[in-house]
Amino acid sequence: MEDCLFCGIVGGSVPSTAVLETERSYAFRDIKPAAPVHVLVVPKEHLGSVEDVGAGQTEVLADLFAAIRAVAAKEGISESGYRVVTNVGEDAGQLVHHLHFHVLGGRSLRWPPKGSDAGG
Ligand code: 5GP
Ligand code: ZN
């Protein structure tokens, strides 16, 4: 989608630091990391948020979660644990309107999330 930052990152017109890529997903480092590991996992196709996910998105969702697990394994946090966060809309502080999952780990995270532990 034009004027979408993460579509630009997926397409390569906006630079990013890749972590891994699958058939339908792309994972790259957050520009403002809130934890030692802070990776964003996005679908290559444009979806605005969880609000755009339905029965037609089962395959892309399965791919996204496989990518999330692969990121955790590659970053060495599968055993220590990690948090997966997706913000939806204004009250959640969603800044980029292309579905993305924050994968946070590498330190102990607070629950309920406060400040940087909220993945924003
Ligand atoms: P949201 O608040 O929408 O859930 O999170 C957006 C995330 O995207 C933030 O954590 C922010 O640091 C990250 N971000 C914003 N612009 C860029 C960018 O140009 N490159 C990368 N790698 N991350 C970005
Ligand atoms: Zn997009």
Side-chain angles (χ1 to χ4, degrees), residues 1 3-8 43-47 97-99:
M1 189 194 238
D3 296 334
C4 170
L5 177 64
F6 288 174
C7 281
K44 290 180 180 175
E45 71 195 74
H46 183 88
L47 296 167
H97 294 274
H98 179 128
L99 178 66

Side-chain angles (χ1 to χ4, degrees), residues 54-79:
Q57 280 70 47
T58 51
E59 284 182 16
V60 70
L61 269 193
D63 190 285
L64 281 163
F65 276 89
I68 288 166
R69 287 185 58 196
V71 164
K74 195 165 186 180
E75 296 291 304
I77 56 172
S78 300
E79 298 289 323

